[in-house]
Amino acid sequence: MFGVRGLLRTLRRCSSAPCPKRAPAARLKVREALEARELPGADVKVQGWVRSVRSQKEVLFLHLNDGSSLESLQVVADPSLEYRDLTFGSAVEVQGKLLKSLHQKQNVELKAENIRVVGPCDALMFPFKLREKHPLEYTRQFPHLRCRTNTLRSLLRVRSEATAAIHSFFQTANKVKEHEGESHFFKVPAFLTVSGQLHLEVMAGAFTQVFTFGPTFRAENSQSRRHLAEFYMVEAEVSFTESLQDIMQVIEDLFKTATSTVLSRCPHEVEFFYKYIAPAQKGRLERMLKNKFLTLSYTEAVEILKRAPQTFTFKPEWGQDLQTEHEKYLVTHCGEVPVFVIDYPYDLKPFYMRDNDDGPQHTVAAVDLLVPEVGELCGGSLREERLHFLQSRLQRLGLSDTYQWYLDLRKFGSVPHGGFGMGFERYLQCILGVSNIKDVMPFPRFPHSCLL
């Protein structure tokens, strides 16, 4: 009897003790799941969008992506878990065990125990179709959905890393960023600007080296592959420099440093573009990074164009601006290596560029960087720090009153300085080989088009 009573007491104690609970499934991003090295078979939960569905008699295959990686995670499930709403484009939550894959091309796969459709997707109405390669011109019609394509997802990851790389370059160089203020109403006429340069010159008078990176606006009615109404600009100003070579060196260092960082942090995304969009761009970019950028004077450039064996739409003449066809020819002529063109005609350039005070062909200390396939990528100059030169030019243009504040900068502690601007979208075109600038901006806005 004693033994039975003791056993009953033991059973009562066991029944009143809390039962061990199953540990909740760890939530992983697709990238984290793909990079997992230890695979104990623990429960995990992955959320994302279905990139493909393939049902066989004994097994159901899904490919799942959440935007954290270009590569998708393969999900293996029992066909009984297939639902009518489980289609290409649908949002799902999958819970199961992460296991080593038997397939050579992938390290892991998720053995699903439960699949929940969070948001169904009508595959017939969805504008992008499974296993169909859509032209960039087609996807451009759907700015609210095209970020779900591999091309735009890759582009946006590259864009994010390039932004961070540019900030890192300037911050490492101890340049101060000028932050744009909030928009508000004014009591005087105000206009959207295509550049923050003049404001940067104000800041350079206190911080020596400054930069800004933000949206700018262009009112030109251009439908070309190279222009947008809204785009992003990287701009920098450096005080205490009397050499255009100093500005050119910063431009070259920025290009090579930022690009090397992007290539190291987004290798799969960049390779995607070289495989499907621009196969020849990989070799071009390698030449750009390997070689020292070349330098031509504007006068030398015009002479090269005049001797060219081809006929240009716009005849090259000294005193005329270089057209895109001229820029691309010069880069090709120089072996597909970026080219600095310096010392442009005085009458071609804005009032703030430093007068070279030369003759008989009057020039200013200006520079444009030309790159393969794109043409002009950067534009800069030494700024006119001499008060009497600047005053004289503004008077001739009838702008003295408007720019009195700008003249004040030359009156109170002025120093020799210079700077440049780089179009961010053109930079992305250059490193990825994308021919149309509208395809490197998530929501492109250009004349007669503002879909979002």
Side-chain angles (χ1 to χ4, degrees), residues 84-192:
R84 186 181 64 180
D85 289 339
L86 194 58
T87 60
F88 171 65
S90 59
V92 299
E93 179 180 277
V94 181
Q95 187 168 332
K97 297 186 184 298
L98 202 59
L99 304 173
K100 184 171 180 60
S101 176
L102 299 177
H103 200 284
Q104 292 182 347
K105 293 186 178 181
Q106 57 198 27
N107 181 48
V108 298
E109 61 187 26
L110 180 58
K111 174 66 175 171
E113 296 174 352
N114 182 54
I115 300 175
R116 182 170 71 92
V117 177
V118 178
C121 176
D122 187 331
L124 293 176
M125 298 294 292
F126 193 49
F128 307 129
K129 306 304 177 187
L130 178 63
R131 298 188 186 88
E132 189 172 325
K133 190 174 183 296
H134 301 89
L136 295 177
E137 293 79 9
Y138 174 78
T139 63
R140 211 181 293 148
Q141 302 174 70
F142 308 99
H144 57 304
L145 295 173
R146 69 173 183 162
C147 60
R148 302 191 194 183
T149 65
N150 280 337
T151 304
L152 258 291
R153 288 192 302 139
S154 297
L155 178 279
L156 291 172
R157 274 191 288 270
V158 169
R159 189 180 173 101
S160 175
E161 290 296 344
T163 300
I166 289 168
H167 276 271
S168 176
F169 172 83
F170 285 119
Q171 288 163 353
T172 301
N174 294 319
K175 287 181 171 60
V176 176
K177 186 178 190 297
E178 180 203 5
H179 293 276
E180 294 76 14
E182 296 179 359
S183 59
H184 39 264
F185 293 102
F186 305 100
K187 293 183 179 179
V188 295
F191 306 91
L192 294 174

Side-chain angles (χ1 to χ4, degrees), residues 11-275:
L11 289 173
R12 280 195 294 271
R13 283 198 300 270
C14 289
S15 63
S16 62
C19 296
K21 292 183 179 179
R22 184 176 180 177
R27 180 179 172 182
L28 295 183
K29 294 181 178 179
V30 166
R31 175 178 50 81
E32 294 169 335
L34 293 171
E35 293 174 352
R37 290 292 175 261
E38 296 182 7
L39 304 171
D43 284 342
V44 299
K45 181 193 297 181
V46 180
Q47 300 159 323
W49 292 268
V50 175
R51 302 292 297 167
S52 70
V53 185
R54 182 161 53 94
S55 182
Q56 297 181 356
K57 185 176 180 180
E58 297 181 353
V59 66
L60 171 68
F61 292 102
L62 303 179
H63 280 92
L64 192 63
N65 198 290
D66 62 356
S68 63
S69 166
L70 181 60
E71 184 183 355
S72 295
L73 174 66
Q74 177 167 283
V75 177
V76 182
D78 188 277
S80 63
L81 294 177
E82 184 174 11
Y83 306 103
R84 186 181 64 180
D85 289 339
L86 194 58
T87 60
F88 171 65
S90 59
V92 299
E93 179 180 277
V94 181
Q95 187 168 332
K97 297 186 184 298
L98 202 59
L99 304 173
K100 184 171 180 60
S101 176
L102 299 177
H103 200 284
Q104 292 182 347
K105 293 186 178 181
Q106 57 198 27
N107 181 48
V108 298
E109 61 187 26
L110 180 58
K111 174 66 175 171
E113 296 174 352
N114 182 54
I115 300 175
R116 182 170 71 92
V117 177
V118 178
C121 176
D122 187 331
L124 293 176
M125 298 294 292
F126 193 49
F128 307 129
K129 306 304 177 187
L130 178 63
R131 298 188 186 88
E132 189 172 325
K133 190 174 183 296
H134 301 89
L136 295 177
E137 293 79 9
Y138 174 78
T139 63
R140 211 181 293 148
Q141 302 174 70
F142 308 99
H144 57 304
L145 295 173
R146 69 173 183 162
C147 60
R148 302 191 194 183
T149 65
N150 280 337
T151 304
L152 258 291
R153 288 192 302 139
S154 297
L155 178 279
L156 291 172
R157 274 191 288 270
V158 169
R159 189 180 173 101
S160 175
E161 290 296 344
T163 300
I166 289 168
H167 276 271
S168 176
F169 172 83
F170 285 119
Q171 288 163 353
T172 301
N174 294 319
K175 287 181 171 60
V176 176
K177 186 178 190 297
E178 180 203 5
H179 293 276
E180 294 76 14
E182 296 179 359
S183 59
H184 39 264
F185 293 102
F186 305 100
K187 293 183 179 179
V188 295
F191 306 91
L192 294 174
T193 178
V194 77
S195 171
Q197 177 213 314
L198 299 185
H199 295 85
L200 277 182
E201 287 192 58
V202 172
M203 297 298 177
F207 295 101
T208 309
Q209 298 180 342
V210 292
F211 80 102
T212 188
F213 188 175
T216 54
F217 305 89
R218 181 190 185 98
E220 183 178 342
N221 188 16
S222 174
Q223 295 284 347
S224 81
R225 291 170 168 261
R226 302 170 67 241
H227 296 107
L228 290 168
E230 178 194 18
F231 56 98
Y232 278 68
M233 281 280 283
V234 182
E235 298 176 90
E237 286 290 320
V238 181
S239 292
F240 298 100
T241 180
E242 300 181 54
S243 168
L244 197 57
Q245 293 294 328
D246 291 346
I247 304 302
M248 292 155 61
Q249 191 60 56
V250 175
I251 294 173
E252 184 169 350
D253 290 346
L254 169 63
F255 181 91
K256 290 182 174 179
T257 302
T259 303
S260 297
T261 301
V262 170
L263 293 177
S264 68
R265 294 187 63 85
C266 298
H268 303 299
E269 288 79 7
V270 173
E271 279 297 327
F272 176 88
F273 278 90
Y274 297 161
K275 182 177 181 179

Side-chain angles (χ1 to χ4, degrees), residues 209-442:
Q209 298 180 342
V210 292
F211 80 102
T212 188
F213 188 175
T216 54
F217 305 89
R218 181 190 185 98
E220 183 178 342
N221 188 16
S222 174
Q223 295 284 347
S224 81
R225 291 170 168 261
R226 302 170 67 241
H227 296 107
L228 290 168
E230 178 194 18
F231 56 98
Y232 278 68
M233 281 280 283
V234 182
E235 298 176 90
E237 286 290 320
V238 181
S239 292
F240 298 100
T241 180
E242 300 181 54
S243 168
L244 197 57
Q245 293 294 328
D246 291 346
I247 304 302
M248 292 155 61
Q249 191 60 56
V250 175
I251 294 173
E252 184 169 350
D253 290 346
L254 169 63
F255 181 91
K256 290 182 174 179
T257 302
T259 303
S260 297
T261 301
V262 170
L263 293 177
S264 68
R265 294 187 63 85
C266 298
H268 303 299
E269 288 79 7
V270 173
E271 279 297 327
F272 176 88
F273 278 90
Y274 297 161
K275 182 177 181 179
Y276 296 107
I277 306 297
Q281 192 63 19
K282 185 174 183 178
R284 288 195 198 100
L285 191 63
E286 287 174 350
R287 281 193 297 275
M288 286 188 255
L289 295 175
K290 178 181 176 182
N291 292 286
K292 177 74 177 171
F293 292 1
L294 303 179
T295 303
L296 294 173
S297 71
Y298 168 88
T299 302
E300 290 171 329
V302 170
E303 289 304 313
I304 290 170
L305 293 169
K306 285 182 175 180
R307 296 194 301 267
Q310 73 182 64
T311 301
F312 296 106
T313 303
F314 297 91
K315 185 179 179 181
E317 293 287 352
W318 202 97
Q320 299 297 313
D321 214 346
L322 298 180
Q323 302 297 319
T324 302
E325 59 178 342
H326 302 147
E327 295 169 350
K328 291 185 177 181
Y329 178 84
L330 289 170
V331 174
T332 303
H333 176 83
C334 293
E336 297 287 317
V337 174
V339 183
F340 288 113
V341 178
I342 64 172
D343 298 334
Y344 278 78
Y346 178 89
D347 291 330
L348 273 184
K349 293 298 183 179
F351 65 85
Y352 51 76
M353 293 192 175
R354 195 177 200 276
D355 190 340
N356 282 331
D357 201 19
D358 53 1
Q361 293 177 319
H362 196 180
T363 65
V364 291
V367 58
D368 285 344
L369 176 64
L370 313 182
V371 296
E373 298 301 305
V374 173
E376 182 189 343
L377 175 62
C378 299
S381 74
L382 294 180
R383 315 310 189 191
E384 185 57 83
E385 87 285 1
R386 297 164 296 183
L387 178 61
H388 63 288
F389 276 82
L390 188 59
Q391 223 163 16
S392 174
R393 192 163 193 188
L394 285 173
Q395 284 173 354
R396 287 198 301 274
L397 295 170
L399 296 173
S400 295
D401 291 341
T402 303
Y403 288 99
Q404 186 58 52
W405 66 268
Y406 193 67
L407 291 170
D408 283 350
L409 298 178
R410 274 62 181 172
K411 295 177 183 177
F412 308 117
S414 179
V415 299
H417 63 287
F420 69 92
M422 179 178 79
F424 185 52
E425 282 70 31
R426 287 194 186 179
Y427 169 73
L428 294 173
Q429 281 186 277
C430 175
I431 66 172
L432 297 177
V434 178
S435 62
N436 196 316
I437 198 169
K438 299 174 184 68
D439 296 318
V440 292
M441 185 73 142

